[in-house]
Amino acid sequence: MAEESQEPKTENAPAKKSVTIKRVQIGLNVIIQIAVMIVIVGMVNYFSFHHFKRFDRTRDQKYVLSEQTKQVLAGLQKPVTAIVFFSSGSEVYADVVALLREYEYASKTKFKTEVVDPYRNFTRARALQDRYKFGQNDNVVILDYEGKSKFVEAADMAEVDNSGIMMGQPPVVKAFKGEQSMTSALLELTEEKQSKIYITAGHGELELNAASLTVAATGPETMKGLATYVARQNIKTGTLKLADVEKVPDDARALLILAPKFDFTEREMTLLREYWERKGRVFVSLETGPAMERLADFFVDNGIRPQDDRIVRLVTLPGNVTGILREVSAAIQPGHPITKRLGNVNLQFMGKTQSIYLDQQRAKPLGISLTPLIEVVEKSYHGETENAGGDGAPIFFDAKKDHTVPLAVAVAVEKGALADKRVSVDTSRMVVVGNGDFLRDSALTEAGLDFTLAGVNWLLNREELIAIAPKERKTFALNLTDEQMAQILLSVVFGVPGLVALCGLLAWWQRRN
Protein backbone atom coordinates (compact mmCIF):
# COMPACT_ATOMS: atom_id res chain seq x y z
CA MET A 1 0.00 0.00 0.00
CA ALA A 2 1.51 3.16 -1.09
CA GLU A 3 2.05 5.75 1.55
CA GLU A 4 0.69 9.17 0.85
CA SER A 5 3.37 11.83 0.52
CA GLN A 6 2.88 14.63 2.92
CA GLU A 7 4.76 17.88 3.10
CA PRO A 8 6.35 18.61 6.40
CA LYS A 9 4.39 21.10 8.44
CA THR A 10 6.19 23.96 10.04
CA GLU A 11 5.15 24.43 13.58
CA ASN A 12 4.00 27.82 14.79
CA ALA A 13 3.58 29.13 11.18
CA PRO A 14 1.73 32.47 11.14
CA ALA A 15 -1.71 32.36 9.64
CA LYS A 16 -2.26 34.34 6.48
CA LYS A 17 -4.34 37.48 6.93
CA SER A 18 -6.29 39.20 4.31
CA VAL A 19 -5.14 42.80 3.69
CA THR A 20 -7.90 45.29 3.27
CA ILE A 21 -6.86 48.37 1.28
CA LYS A 22 -8.47 51.46 2.72
CA ARG A 23 -8.70 53.44 -0.47
CA VAL A 24 -10.84 56.23 1.00
CA GLN A 25 -8.41 56.82 3.87
CA ILE A 26 -5.38 56.89 1.55
CA GLY A 27 -7.09 59.28 -0.83
CA LEU A 28 -8.08 61.58 2.03
CA ASN A 29 -4.47 61.60 3.31
CA VAL A 30 -3.19 62.53 -0.15
CA ILE A 31 -5.70 65.37 -0.42
CA ILE A 32 -4.73 66.70 3.03
CA GLN A 33 -1.03 66.53 2.16
CA ILE A 34 -1.60 68.42 -1.08
CA ALA A 35 -3.67 71.05 0.73
CA VAL A 36 -1.00 71.48 3.43
CA MET A 37 1.67 71.80 0.75
CA ILE A 38 -0.37 74.47 -1.07
CA VAL A 39 -0.85 76.42 2.19
CA ILE A 40 2.88 76.23 2.99
CA VAL A 41 3.86 77.40 -0.50
CA GLY A 42 1.32 80.22 -0.28
CA MET A 43 2.60 81.33 3.12
CA VAL A 44 6.23 81.27 1.93
CA ASN A 45 5.33 83.34 -1.13
CA TYR A 46 3.29 85.82 0.91
CA PHE A 47 6.05 86.24 3.50
CA SER A 48 8.78 86.56 0.87
CA PHE A 49 6.73 89.13 -1.08
CA HIS A 50 6.14 91.37 1.94
CA HIS A 51 9.44 90.81 3.79
CA PHE A 52 11.97 90.23 1.05
CA LYS A 53 15.63 91.14 1.24
CA ARG A 54 17.94 91.88 -1.67
CA PHE A 55 21.65 91.14 -1.74
CA ASP A 56 24.20 92.40 -4.24
CA ARG A 57 26.89 89.78 -4.82
CA THR A 58 28.65 91.64 -7.63
CA ARG A 59 32.34 92.35 -7.21
CA ASP A 60 31.94 96.17 -7.25
CA GLN A 61 28.55 96.36 -5.50
CA LYS A 62 27.06 97.67 -8.73
CA TYR A 63 23.46 97.68 -7.56
CA VAL A 64 23.90 98.98 -4.00
CA LEU A 65 22.28 102.39 -3.44
CA SER A 66 24.06 104.97 -1.31
CA GLU A 67 22.71 106.09 2.05
CA GLN A 68 21.88 109.48 0.56
CA THR A 69 19.58 107.93 -2.03
CA LYS A 70 17.93 105.70 0.56
CA GLN A 71 17.25 108.70 2.81
CA VAL A 72 15.76 110.69 -0.06
CA LEU A 73 13.51 107.79 -1.07
CA ALA A 74 12.45 107.17 2.54
CA GLY A 75 11.44 110.83 2.85
CA LEU A 76 9.12 110.85 -0.15
CA GLN A 77 5.68 112.13 0.84
CA LYS A 78 4.03 111.62 -2.55
CA PRO A 79 4.62 109.08 -5.33
CA VAL A 80 7.27 109.77 -7.96
CA THR A 81 7.03 108.46 -11.51
CA ALA A 82 10.18 107.89 -13.57
CA ILE A 83 9.60 107.61 -17.32
CA VAL A 84 12.52 106.07 -19.20
CA PHE A 85 12.44 107.39 -22.77
CA PHE A 86 15.49 105.61 -24.20
CA SER A 87 16.30 103.81 -27.36
CA SER A 88 17.40 100.28 -26.47
CA GLY A 89 20.71 100.86 -28.25
CA SER A 90 21.87 103.44 -25.70
CA GLU A 91 25.08 102.52 -23.90
CA VAL A 92 23.61 103.23 -20.47
CA TYR A 93 20.08 101.92 -21.08
CA ALA A 94 20.52 98.66 -19.17
CA ASP A 95 22.25 100.40 -16.24
CA VAL A 96 19.52 103.05 -16.02
CA VAL A 97 16.69 100.50 -15.99
CA ALA A 98 18.47 98.35 -13.38
CA LEU A 99 19.14 101.43 -11.22
CA LEU A 100 15.50 102.53 -11.31
CA ARG A 101 14.38 99.04 -10.31
CA GLU A 102 16.53 99.44 -7.19
CA TYR A 103 14.84 102.79 -6.53
CA GLU A 104 11.48 101.04 -6.70
CA TYR A 105 12.49 98.38 -4.18
CA ALA A 106 14.04 100.92 -1.78
CA SER A 107 11.09 103.35 -1.90
CA LYS A 108 8.44 100.82 -0.84
CA THR A 109 5.85 101.68 -3.55
CA LYS A 110 6.59 105.45 -3.58
CA PHE A 111 8.70 105.26 -6.75
CA LYS A 112 7.29 103.87 -10.00
CA THR A 113 9.10 103.27 -13.29
CA GLU A 114 7.68 103.24 -16.81
CA VAL A 115 9.88 102.22 -19.73
CA VAL A 116 8.84 103.61 -23.12
CA ASP A 117 10.51 102.51 -26.34
CA PRO A 118 9.95 105.33 -28.88
CA TYR A 119 10.30 102.88 -31.78
CA ARG A 120 7.66 100.42 -30.54
CA ASN A 121 5.09 102.42 -28.58
CA PHE A 122 4.45 105.33 -30.94
CA THR A 123 1.20 106.47 -29.31
CA ARG A 124 2.65 106.69 -25.78
CA ALA A 125 5.86 108.30 -27.07
CA ARG A 126 3.91 111.01 -28.91
CA ALA A 127 1.75 111.69 -25.85
CA LEU A 128 4.86 112.13 -23.66
CA GLN A 129 6.50 114.45 -26.20
CA ASP A 130 3.41 116.64 -26.33
CA ARG A 131 3.17 116.78 -22.54
CA TYR A 132 6.82 117.28 -21.55
CA LYS A 133 8.07 119.03 -24.71
CA PHE A 134 11.16 117.07 -25.75
CA GLY A 135 12.47 115.64 -29.00
CA GLN A 136 11.89 112.19 -30.44
CA ASN A 137 15.61 111.37 -30.50
CA ASP A 138 16.30 112.47 -26.92
CA ASN A 139 17.44 109.81 -24.44
CA VAL A 140 16.07 111.08 -21.14
CA VAL A 141 14.55 110.00 -17.84
CA ILE A 142 11.59 112.17 -16.81
CA LEU A 143 10.89 112.43 -13.07
CA ASP A 144 7.36 113.57 -12.29
CA TYR A 145 6.41 114.64 -8.75
CA GLU A 146 3.16 116.41 -7.91
CA GLY A 147 2.90 117.92 -11.37
CA LYS A 148 6.53 119.08 -11.39
CA SER A 149 8.98 117.42 -13.75
CA LYS A 150 12.74 117.16 -14.06
CA PHE A 151 14.76 115.80 -16.99
CA VAL A 152 17.86 113.66 -16.50
CA GLU A 153 19.69 113.24 -19.79
CA ALA A 154 21.78 110.26 -20.80
CA ALA A 155 24.85 112.49 -21.24
CA ASP A 156 24.70 113.39 -17.53
CA MET A 157 24.66 109.76 -16.44
CA ALA A 158 27.99 108.54 -17.77
CA GLU A 159 31.63 109.51 -18.04
CA VAL A 160 32.57 108.67 -21.62
CA ASP A 161 36.06 108.17 -23.02
CA ASN A 162 36.18 109.49 -26.59
CA SER A 163 39.93 109.07 -27.06
CA GLY A 164 39.48 106.20 -29.51
CA ILE A 165 37.16 107.98 -31.94
CA MET A 166 40.03 109.10 -34.16
CA MET A 167 41.07 105.45 -34.49
CA GLY A 168 37.57 104.37 -35.47
CA GLN A 169 36.71 102.98 -32.03
CA PRO A 170 33.32 103.69 -30.40
CA PRO A 171 33.02 105.76 -27.21
CA VAL A 172 33.66 103.81 -24.03
CA VAL A 173 31.72 104.38 -20.80
CA LYS A 174 34.28 104.78 -18.01
CA ALA A 175 31.89 105.33 -15.11
CA PHE A 176 28.13 105.30 -14.56
CA LYS A 177 26.79 108.40 -12.77
CA GLY A 178 23.09 107.61 -12.96
CA GLU A 179 22.54 107.55 -9.21
CA GLN A 180 24.18 110.96 -8.78
CA SER A 181 22.03 112.55 -11.45
CA MET A 182 18.82 110.80 -10.44
CA THR A 183 19.07 111.53 -6.72
CA SER A 184 20.05 115.16 -7.34
CA ALA A 185 17.00 115.60 -9.55
CA LEU A 186 14.83 114.03 -6.83
CA LEU A 187 16.25 116.47 -4.28
CA GLU A 188 15.44 119.39 -6.51
CA LEU A 189 11.88 118.16 -7.01
CA THR A 190 11.08 117.26 -3.42
CA GLU A 191 12.82 119.98 -1.42
CA GLU A 192 10.51 122.91 -0.88
CA LYS A 193 13.29 125.52 -0.82
CA GLN A 194 16.66 125.44 -2.55
CA SER A 195 19.64 126.02 -0.27
CA LYS A 196 21.98 128.87 -1.20
CA ILE A 197 25.63 129.21 -0.28
CA TYR A 198 27.98 132.12 -0.94
CA ILE A 199 31.64 131.96 -1.95
CA THR A 200 33.67 134.89 -0.69
CA ALA A 201 35.68 136.94 -3.20
CA GLY A 202 38.20 139.77 -3.16
CA HIS A 203 41.07 137.93 -1.47
CA GLY A 204 42.37 135.83 -4.35
CA GLU A 205 40.03 132.92 -3.54
CA LEU A 206 39.16 130.15 -5.91
CA GLU A 207 35.86 130.76 -7.67
CA LEU A 208 32.87 128.44 -7.53
CA ASN A 209 29.86 129.84 -9.34
CA ALA A 210 27.40 129.14 -12.10
CA ALA A 211 29.91 130.18 -14.75
CA SER A 212 32.10 127.27 -13.76
CA LEU A 213 29.43 124.94 -15.09
CA THR A 214 29.58 126.30 -18.63
CA VAL A 215 33.15 127.43 -19.13
CA ALA A 216 35.12 124.72 -20.92
CA ALA A 217 38.32 125.50 -19.08
CA THR A 218 40.22 122.63 -17.54
CA GLY A 219 43.20 124.48 -16.13
CA PRO A 220 44.55 123.91 -12.63
CA GLU A 221 42.77 127.00 -11.26
CA THR A 222 39.24 125.86 -12.13
CA MET A 223 36.80 123.98 -9.89
CA LYS A 224 34.33 122.89 -12.53
CA GLY A 225 34.11 119.38 -11.09
CA LEU A 226 33.17 120.54 -7.59
CA ALA A 227 30.75 123.15 -8.96
CA THR A 228 28.96 120.47 -10.97
CA TYR A 229 28.42 118.20 -7.98
CA VAL A 230 27.40 121.07 -5.70
CA ALA A 231 24.70 122.01 -8.20
CA ARG A 232 23.55 118.39 -8.32
CA GLN A 233 23.04 118.52 -4.56
CA ASN A 234 20.29 121.08 -5.25
CA ILE A 235 22.47 123.88 -3.86
CA LYS A 236 22.53 127.32 -5.43
CA THR A 237 25.80 129.26 -5.33
CA GLY A 238 26.58 132.96 -5.40
CA THR A 239 29.60 135.25 -5.01
CA LEU A 240 29.90 137.53 -1.99
CA LYS A 241 32.34 140.43 -1.55
CA LEU A 242 32.17 141.36 2.11
CA ALA A 243 33.69 144.75 1.37
CA ASP A 244 30.60 145.71 -0.68
CA VAL A 245 27.81 144.70 1.72
CA GLU A 246 26.49 145.78 5.09
CA LYS A 247 26.04 142.24 6.34
CA VAL A 248 26.05 138.66 5.14
CA PRO A 249 22.74 138.11 3.26
CA ASP A 250 19.93 136.52 5.25
CA ASP A 251 19.48 133.76 2.66
CA ALA A 252 23.07 132.58 3.11
CA ARG A 253 22.89 129.04 4.43
CA ALA A 254 26.69 128.82 4.43
CA LEU A 255 29.85 130.73 3.45
CA LEU A 256 32.73 129.13 1.56
CA ILE A 257 36.20 130.66 1.91
CA LEU A 258 38.34 128.79 -0.61
CA ALA A 259 42.12 129.25 -0.53
CA PRO A 260 42.39 133.02 0.11
CA LYS A 261 45.74 134.59 -0.69
CA PHE A 262 45.20 137.82 1.26
CA ASP A 263 43.91 138.51 4.75
CA PHE A 264 40.47 139.93 5.49
CA THR A 265 40.07 143.55 6.64
CA GLU A 266 38.82 144.50 10.11
CA ARG A 267 35.39 145.41 8.71
CA GLU A 268 35.12 142.15 6.80
CA MET A 269 36.06 140.18 9.91
CA THR A 270 33.37 142.04 11.86
CA LEU A 271 30.76 140.92 9.32
CA LEU A 272 32.10 137.36 9.44
CA ARG A 273 31.97 137.28 13.24
CA GLU A 274 28.42 138.67 13.26
CA TYR A 275 27.35 135.99 10.81
CA TRP A 276 29.04 133.31 12.93
CA GLU A 277 27.22 134.44 16.07
CA ARG A 278 23.90 134.24 14.16
CA LYS A 279 24.33 130.46 13.94
CA GLY A 280 26.34 130.83 10.76
CA ARG A 281 27.94 128.02 8.79
CA VAL A 282 31.45 128.36 7.30
CA PHE A 283 33.69 126.13 5.16
CA VAL A 284 37.34 127.21 4.92
CA SER A 285 40.27 125.80 2.96
CA LEU A 286 43.67 127.36 3.72
CA GLU A 287 46.93 127.56 1.82
CA THR A 288 50.31 127.44 3.50
CA GLY A 289 52.33 130.64 3.21
CA PRO A 290 50.18 133.80 3.17
CA ALA A 291 49.93 135.56 6.54
CA MET A 292 46.31 135.58 7.73
CA GLU A 293 46.52 137.25 11.15
CA ARG A 294 42.91 138.47 11.36
CA LEU A 295 41.46 135.25 10.05
CA ALA A 296 43.79 133.28 12.35
CA ASP A 297 42.53 135.29 15.36
CA PHE A 298 38.98 134.28 14.45
CA PHE A 299 40.01 130.64 14.45
CA VAL A 300 41.85 131.00 17.78
CA ASP A 301 38.73 132.49 19.37
CA ASN A 302 36.94 129.27 18.42
CA GLY A 303 39.56 126.87 19.75
CA ILE A 304 41.64 126.03 16.66
CA ARG A 305 44.92 127.41 15.31
CA PRO A 306 46.49 126.86 11.89
CA GLN A 307 50.13 126.06 12.70
CA ASP A 308 51.66 127.71 9.61
CA ASP A 309 53.78 124.65 8.89
CA ARG A 310 54.03 122.32 5.94
CA ILE A 311 53.46 118.61 6.28
CA VAL A 312 56.24 116.65 4.56
CA ARG A 313 57.49 113.10 4.53
CA LEU A 314 61.14 112.08 4.70
CA VAL A 315 61.91 108.87 2.80
CA THR A 316 65.13 106.95 2.14
CA LEU A 317 65.93 106.57 -1.54
CA PRO A 318 68.37 104.11 -3.16
CA GLY A 319 71.95 105.01 -2.29
CA ASN A 320 70.99 106.01 1.27
CA VAL A 321 69.77 109.39 0.02
CA THR A 322 67.03 111.18 1.93
CA GLY A 323 64.10 112.30 -0.21
CA ILE A 324 61.17 114.58 0.55
CA LEU A 325 57.55 113.91 -0.39
CA ARG A 326 55.32 116.95 -0.22
CA GLU A 327 52.12 115.13 -1.23
CA VAL A 328 50.28 114.08 1.90
CA SER A 329 48.32 110.88 2.49
CA ALA A 330 45.90 111.43 5.37
CA ALA A 331 43.28 109.18 6.96
CA ILE A 332 39.65 110.26 7.28
CA GLN A 333 38.62 109.68 10.89
CA PRO A 334 35.24 108.08 11.74
CA GLY A 335 33.00 109.30 14.54
CA HIS A 336 31.45 112.44 13.00
CA PRO A 337 28.39 112.89 10.76
CA ILE A 338 30.67 114.14 7.97
CA THR A 339 32.90 111.08 8.04
CA LYS A 340 30.58 108.32 9.25
CA ARG A 341 30.53 106.77 5.76
CA LEU A 342 34.14 107.61 4.93
CA GLY A 343 35.96 106.34 8.01
CA ASN A 344 39.48 104.94 7.46
CA VAL A 345 39.57 106.08 3.82
CA ASN A 346 42.84 107.72 2.73
CA LEU A 347 42.71 111.14 1.09
CA GLN A 348 45.59 112.41 -1.02
CA PHE A 349 46.45 116.12 -0.69
CA MET A 350 48.45 117.76 -3.45
CA GLY A 351 50.29 121.05 -3.01
CA LYS A 352 50.95 122.66 0.35
CA THR A 353 49.24 121.24 3.42
CA GLN A 354 49.42 122.67 6.93
CA SER A 355 48.31 121.16 10.21
CA ILE A 356 45.68 122.54 12.59
CA TYR A 357 46.01 122.58 16.38
CA LEU A 358 42.92 121.81 18.46
CA ASP A 359 42.83 123.71 21.78
CA GLN A 360 40.27 121.65 23.66
CA GLN A 361 40.91 123.45 26.97
CA ARG A 362 40.01 126.80 25.44
CA ALA A 363 37.05 125.50 23.47
CA LYS A 364 35.24 123.56 26.20
CA PRO A 365 34.39 126.52 28.49
CA LEU A 366 33.02 128.37 25.43
CA GLY A 367 30.62 125.56 24.58
CA ILE A 368 32.58 124.65 21.44
CA SER A 369 33.16 121.07 20.35
CA LEU A 370 36.19 120.28 18.20
CA THR A 371 36.50 117.09 16.16
CA PRO A 372 39.46 116.11 13.96
CA LEU A 373 38.07 114.90 10.63
CA ILE A 374 41.27 114.07 8.74
CA GLU A 375 44.63 113.26 10.32
CA VAL A 376 48.12 112.33 9.22
CA VAL A 377 49.13 109.39 11.39
CA GLU A 378 52.16 107.82 9.67
CA LYS A 379 55.32 108.46 11.67
CA SER A 380 57.36 109.32 8.57
CA TYR A 381 55.47 112.64 8.31
CA HIS A 382 56.08 115.79 10.32
CA GLY A 383 55.02 119.42 10.26
CA GLU A 384 58.01 121.42 8.95
CA THR A 385 58.10 124.93 10.45
CA GLU A 386 61.53 126.15 9.37
CA ASN A 387 60.93 125.72 5.64
CA ALA A 388 57.15 125.72 5.41
CA GLY A 389 57.16 127.57 2.12
CA GLY A 390 59.38 125.02 0.42
CA ASP A 391 61.98 127.48 -0.89
CA GLY A 392 64.57 124.81 -1.60
CA ALA A 393 66.45 124.90 1.72
CA PRO A 394 67.38 121.57 3.34
CA ILE A 395 64.55 119.94 5.28
CA PHE A 396 65.09 117.78 8.34
CA PHE A 397 63.09 116.97 11.44
CA ASP A 398 63.79 119.23 14.43
CA ALA A 399 62.12 117.88 17.55
CA LYS A 400 62.22 121.32 19.22
CA LYS A 401 60.41 123.20 16.44
CA ASP A 402 58.61 120.82 14.13
CA HIS A 403 55.27 119.14 14.81
CA THR A 404 54.85 115.40 15.16
CA VAL A 405 51.99 113.08 14.26
CA PRO A 406 49.08 112.88 14.65
CA LEU A 407 48.61 116.04 12.60
CA ALA A 408 45.06 117.26 12.05
CA VAL A 409 44.45 118.39 8.47
CA ALA A 410 40.69 119.01 8.70
CA VAL A 411 38.62 119.98 11.74
CA ALA A 412 34.91 120.36 12.50
CA VAL A 413 33.88 123.17 14.88
CA GLU A 414 30.41 123.37 16.42
CA LYS A 415 29.32 126.05 18.90
CA GLY A 416 26.17 125.81 20.99
CA ALA A 417 25.42 122.09 20.70
CA LEU A 418 23.87 120.26 23.67
CA ALA A 419 25.43 117.24 25.29
CA ASP A 420 22.19 115.30 24.76
CA LYS A 421 22.30 114.38 21.06
CA ARG A 422 18.59 113.57 21.10
CA VAL A 423 17.80 117.29 21.39
CA SER A 424 18.31 119.24 18.16
CA VAL A 425 19.19 122.94 18.39
CA ASP A 426 20.57 125.50 15.94
CA THR A 427 24.32 125.82 16.24
CA SER A 428 27.22 127.60 14.59
CA ARG A 429 29.22 125.17 12.47
CA MET A 430 32.54 125.39 10.68
CA VAL A 431 34.82 123.06 8.71
CA VAL A 432 38.46 124.08 8.30
CA VAL A 433 40.89 122.25 5.97
CA GLY A 434 44.61 123.01 5.93
CA ASN A 435 44.95 122.65 2.15
CA GLY A 436 43.83 124.99 -0.61
CA ASP A 437 44.60 122.85 -3.65
CA PHE A 438 42.58 119.67 -3.09
CA LEU A 439 39.41 121.23 -4.54
CA ARG A 440 40.96 122.17 -7.90
CA ASP A 441 40.08 120.08 -10.92
CA SER A 442 43.67 118.92 -11.27
CA ALA A 443 43.82 117.62 -7.68
CA LEU A 444 40.22 116.68 -6.85
CA THR A 445 39.92 113.00 -5.95
CA GLU A 446 36.86 110.86 -5.35
CA ALA A 447 37.52 110.84 -1.60
CA GLY A 448 38.08 114.60 -1.58
CA LEU A 449 34.80 115.17 -3.40
CA ASP A 450 32.91 112.89 -1.03
CA PHE A 451 34.39 114.60 2.01
CA THR A 452 33.69 118.13 0.75
CA LEU A 453 30.08 117.47 -0.21
CA ALA A 454 29.46 115.65 3.06
CA GLY A 455 30.92 118.65 4.88
CA VAL A 456 28.70 121.11 3.00
CA ASN A 457 25.63 118.94 3.68
CA TRP A 458 26.53 118.91 7.39
CA LEU A 459 26.70 122.69 7.37
CA LEU A 460 23.23 122.78 5.78
CA ASN A 461 21.73 120.46 8.44
CA ARG A 462 21.52 117.61 5.96
CA GLU A 463 23.54 115.15 8.01
CA GLU A 464 21.84 112.18 6.41
CA LEU A 465 23.11 113.13 2.97
CA ILE A 466 26.50 112.09 1.68
CA ALA A 467 28.11 112.38 -1.71
CA ILE A 468 27.53 109.71 -4.32
CA ALA A 469 30.67 108.80 -6.20
CA PRO A 470 30.53 107.50 -9.79
CA LYS A 471 30.65 103.73 -10.19
CA GLU A 472 33.50 102.90 -12.48
CA ARG A 473 33.16 100.16 -15.04
CA LYS A 474 36.02 97.78 -14.40
CA THR A 475 37.11 95.01 -16.70
CA PHE A 476 37.72 91.74 -14.89
CA ALA A 477 40.00 89.20 -16.55
CA LEU A 478 40.44 85.64 -15.26
CA ASN A 479 43.85 84.32 -16.31
CA LEU A 480 44.17 80.55 -15.95
CA THR A 481 47.22 78.38 -16.46
CA ASP A 482 47.17 75.17 -18.53
CA GLU A 483 47.23 73.13 -15.34
CA GLN A 484 44.20 74.97 -13.94
CA MET A 485 42.34 74.52 -17.24
CA ALA A 486 43.06 70.78 -17.11
CA GLN A 487 41.76 70.57 -13.54
CA ILE A 488 38.53 72.34 -14.54
CA LEU A 489 38.12 70.01 -17.52
CA LEU A 490 38.52 66.90 -15.36
CA SER A 491 36.16 68.26 -12.72
CA VAL A 492 33.41 69.14 -15.19
CA VAL A 493 33.69 66.20 -17.59
CA PHE A 494 34.47 63.40 -15.12
CA GLY A 495 34.14 64.72 -11.57
CA VAL A 496 30.53 65.94 -11.54
CA PRO A 497 29.07 63.07 -13.62
CA GLY A 498 31.08 60.58 -11.57
CA LEU A 499 29.71 62.00 -8.31
CA VAL A 500 26.14 61.72 -9.60
CA ALA A 501 26.78 58.11 -10.75
CA LEU A 502 28.26 57.23 -7.35
CA CYS A 503 25.22 58.61 -5.52
CA GLY A 504 22.92 56.59 -7.81
CA LEU A 505 24.94 53.40 -7.24
CA LEU A 506 24.79 53.84 -3.47
CA ALA A 507 21.04 54.38 -3.60
CA TRP A 508 20.56 51.24 -5.75
CA TRP A 509 22.72 49.14 -3.43
CA GLN A 510 20.86 50.30 -0.35
CA ARG A 511 17.45 49.50 -1.84
CA ARG A 512 18.59 46.05 -2.99
CA ASN A 513 19.73 45.13 0.51
Side-chain angles (χ1 to χ4, degrees), residues 19 75 118 133 204 324 394 407 446 508 513:
V19 180
K133 309 300 180 185
I324 302 170
L407 299 169
E446 182 177 316
W508 171 79
N513 292 334

Short mmCIF file of all heavy atoms in Angstrom, two decimals, residues 19 75 118 133 204 324 394 407 446 508 513:
data_model
loop_
_atom_site.label_atom_id
_atom_site.label_comp_id
_atom_site.label_asym_id
_atom_site.label_seq_id
_atom_site.Cartn_x
_atom_site.Cartn_y
_atom_site.Cartn_z
N VAL A 19 -5.45 41.36 3.56
CA VAL A 19 -5.14 42.80 3.69
C VAL A 19 -6.24 43.60 3.03
O VAL A 19 -6.52 43.42 1.84
CB VAL A 19 -3.78 43.13 3.04
CG1 VAL A 19 -3.48 44.61 3.18
CG2 VAL A 19 -2.69 42.29 3.69
N GLY A 75 12.12 109.59 2.51
CA GLY A 75 11.44 110.83 2.85
C GLY A 75 10.39 111.28 1.85
O GLY A 75 9.81 112.36 2.01
N PRO A 118 10.56 104.44 -27.87
CA PRO A 118 9.95 105.33 -28.88
C PRO A 118 9.76 104.67 -30.23
O PRO A 118 9.00 105.17 -31.06
CB PRO A 118 10.96 106.48 -28.96
CG PRO A 118 12.24 105.92 -28.47
CD PRO A 118 11.87 104.90 -27.44
N LYS A 133 7.36 118.17 -23.76
CA LYS A 133 8.07 119.03 -24.71
C LYS A 133 9.54 118.62 -24.87
O LYS A 133 10.46 119.33 -24.45
CB LYS A 133 7.99 120.51 -24.29
CG LYS A 133 6.58 120.99 -23.98
CD LYS A 133 5.65 120.87 -25.17
CE LYS A 133 4.25 121.36 -24.84
NZ LYS A 133 3.29 121.13 -25.94
N GLY A 204 41.66 136.81 -3.52
CA GLY A 204 42.37 135.83 -4.35
C GLY A 204 41.84 134.43 -4.20
O GLY A 204 42.55 133.45 -4.52
N ILE A 324 62.26 113.85 -0.09
CA ILE A 324 61.17 114.58 0.55
C ILE A 324 59.93 114.44 -0.32
O ILE A 324 59.97 114.73 -1.52
CB ILE A 324 61.52 116.06 0.73
CG1 ILE A 324 62.79 116.21 1.57
CG2 ILE A 324 60.36 116.81 1.39
CD1 ILE A 324 63.33 117.61 1.60
N PRO A 394 67.41 122.94 2.83
CA PRO A 394 67.38 121.57 3.34
C PRO A 394 66.28 121.39 4.39
O PRO A 394 66.03 122.28 5.21
CB PRO A 394 68.77 121.39 3.96
CG PRO A 394 69.62 122.40 3.26
CD PRO A 394 68.72 123.56 2.98
N LEU A 407 48.78 114.67 13.06
CA LEU A 407 48.61 116.04 12.60
C LEU A 407 47.22 116.18 11.98
O LEU A 407 46.90 115.51 11.01
CB LEU A 407 49.69 116.39 11.57
CG LEU A 407 51.14 116.32 12.05
CD1 LEU A 407 52.09 116.44 10.86
CD2 LEU A 407 51.41 117.43 13.06
N GLU A 446 38.19 111.34 -5.73
CA GLU A 446 36.86 110.86 -5.35
C GLU A 446 36.64 111.01 -3.85
O GLU A 446 35.57 111.44 -3.41
CB GLU A 446 36.72 109.40 -5.76
CG GLU A 446 35.36 108.80 -5.47
CD GLU A 446 35.26 107.37 -5.96
OE1 GLU A 446 35.70 107.10 -7.09
OE2 GLU A 446 34.75 106.53 -5.20
N TRP A 508 20.98 52.54 -5.23
CA TRP A 508 20.56 51.24 -5.75
C TRP A 508 20.98 50.11 -4.81
O TRP A 508 20.21 49.19 -4.53
CB TRP A 508 21.16 51.04 -7.14
CG TRP A 508 20.96 49.66 -7.68
CD1 TRP A 508 19.84 49.14 -8.25
CD2 TRP A 508 21.93 48.59 -7.66
NE1 TRP A 508 20.03 47.83 -8.60
CE2 TRP A 508 21.32 47.47 -8.24
CE3 TRP A 508 23.25 48.50 -7.20
CZ2 TRP A 508 21.98 46.26 -8.39
CZ3 TRP A 508 23.90 47.30 -7.35
CH2 TRP A 508 23.27 46.19 -7.93
N ASN A 513 19.50 45.83 -0.75
CA ASN A 513 19.73 45.13 0.51
C ASN A 513 18.60 45.35 1.50
O ASN A 513 18.69 44.90 2.64
CB ASN A 513 21.06 45.59 1.13
CG ASN A 513 22.24 45.13 0.29
OD1 ASN A 513 22.14 44.12 -0.43
ND2 ASN A 513 23.35 45.84 0.38
#
